[in-house]
Amino acid sequence: MPDPTRPRASLRTAVVWEVLKDALDRRVKATGRESLDVLDTGGGSGNFAVPVARLGHRVTVVDPSPNALFALERRAAEAGVADRVKGVQGDAHGLFDVVERGGYDVVLCHGVLEYVDDPADGVRNVVDALRPEGVLSLLAAGLGGAVLARALAGHFKEAKQALDDPDGRWGEGDPVPHRFTADQLTALVEGAGLRVGSVHGVRVFADLVPGVLVDTEPGAVEALLKLEAAAAELPAFHSVATQLHVLGEAQGADEG
């Protein structure tokens, strides 16, 4: 997966990266420690873990795929941060078989919640990995974005099915087991005992704009990045975002 700090790739990740980087900076100031302990559940080949390690933090990546962890190790070495990135094979369900409970300043749970049997239990589980006043970065598939995408592709029955389905699925062939609204995600985070610090829509436009326009129009990437950033915080656009990002802060966490 591409580095979220590079312009073309950042069309999909820039909003999350900026929110996450700000949260890390605030935790550094609040703790007085320059290097935080970060857990990346389902972090794969290090899409976020390696850039976080470049900031000077220690990152533990838990992922069920040996191939992804091998790629993570290679990417961390190439980036010169192998000493700050550790890959562990495991999953969210058995998280504390492989990592310490209550041992992390920041936990990333990106693209994981869609695939766990019980999303509420999944959120509570990753929250248990946080230290007091820790921060959770939660990224999950948005219901509205999928409905819009199916409709724009001409699959109107599938769009309607996704809209009506309790899990937001458009049919048997849908590879995503769960999709969420912003209200559902914030309820899950609050239900796990955290305060919601912010909610952002991710990939509001990036997945709808033809790639050829972005690649050939001068300045298009930068302009689209600015548009994504401007729309991300507006609740009206959360309902059509491909993904939703929620920042959860443990009670008593730095207000920033």
Side-chain angles (χ1 to χ4, degrees):
M1 292 175 73
D3 184 331
T5 61
R6 292 177 181 168
R8 185 66 177 87
S10 66
L11 281 172
R12 291 172 172 261
T13 55
V15 169
V16 179
W17 176 247
E18 289 305 315
V19 175
L20 177 59
K21 188 174 181 297
D22 178 65
L24 289 165
D25 289 345
R26 286 190 287 117
R27 290 312 303 149
V28 164
K29 290 176 183 175
T31 61
R33 290 184 283 112
E34 290 187 4
S35 183
L36 302 174
D37 294 305
V38 179
L39 175 64
D40 189 354
T41 61
S45 59
N47 188 30
F48 280 89
V50 169
V52 168
R54 282 202 200 106
L55 297 176
H57 305 299
R58 296 176 294 272
V59 188
T60 299
V61 175
V62 176
D63 196 277
S65 168
N67 290 337
L69 293 174
F70 179 76
L72 167 71
E73 185 178 349
R74 186 175 62 231
R75 177 184 276 184
E78 290 171 353
V81 294
D83 59 328
R84 293 198 292 273
V85 176
K86 178 174 72 172
V88 182
Q89 189 172 0
D91 58 32
H93 180 69
L95 190 60
F96 300 113
D97 294 337
V98 293
V99 301
E100 179 187 356
R101 190 183 297 269
Y104 298 89
D105 300 292
V106 178
V107 172
L108 279 58
C109 183
H110 294 174
V112 173
L113 208 59
E114 298 91 325
Y115 300 97
V116 299
D117 292 335
D118 184 340
D121 186 58
V123 174
R124 286 192 296 267
N125 209 30
V126 294
V127 166
D128 282 347
L130 285 172
R131 288 175 176 152
E133 302 190 346
V135 173
L136 170 68
S137 174
L138 179 65
L139 180 68
L143 169 63
V147 173
L148 188 61
R150 299 318 287 174
L152 290 176
H155 303 300
F156 306 122
K157 288 182 179 178
E158 291 180 351
K160 177 68 163 54
Q161 183 166 337
L163 196 58
D164 294 338
D165 187 80
D167 294 317
R169 304 187 76 231
W170 48 256
E172 289 299 319
D174 191 340
V176 179
H178 302 280
R179 291 188 181 88
F180 305 89
T181 65
D183 286 346
Q184 287 171 335
L185 285 181
T186 55
L188 288 171
V189 169
E190 289 172 345
L194 300 188
R195 177 172 59 83
V196 173
S198 66
V199 180
H200 290 83
V202 180
R203 290 157 58 186
V204 174
F205 306 104
D207 290 351
L208 302 177
V209 177
V212 65
L213 290 179
V214 179
D215 292 334
T216 58
E217 189 73 23
V221 172
E222 292 76 12
L224 186 50
L225 276 170
K226 289 179 181 177
L227 179 61
E228 287 278 355
E233 293 187 47
L234 300 176
F237 289 99
H238 295 168
S239 59
V240 294
T242 299
Q243 292 178 308
L244 295 162
H245 183 252
V246 178
L247 196 72
E249 301 174 338
Q251 300 301 317
D254 164 45
E255 297 288 336

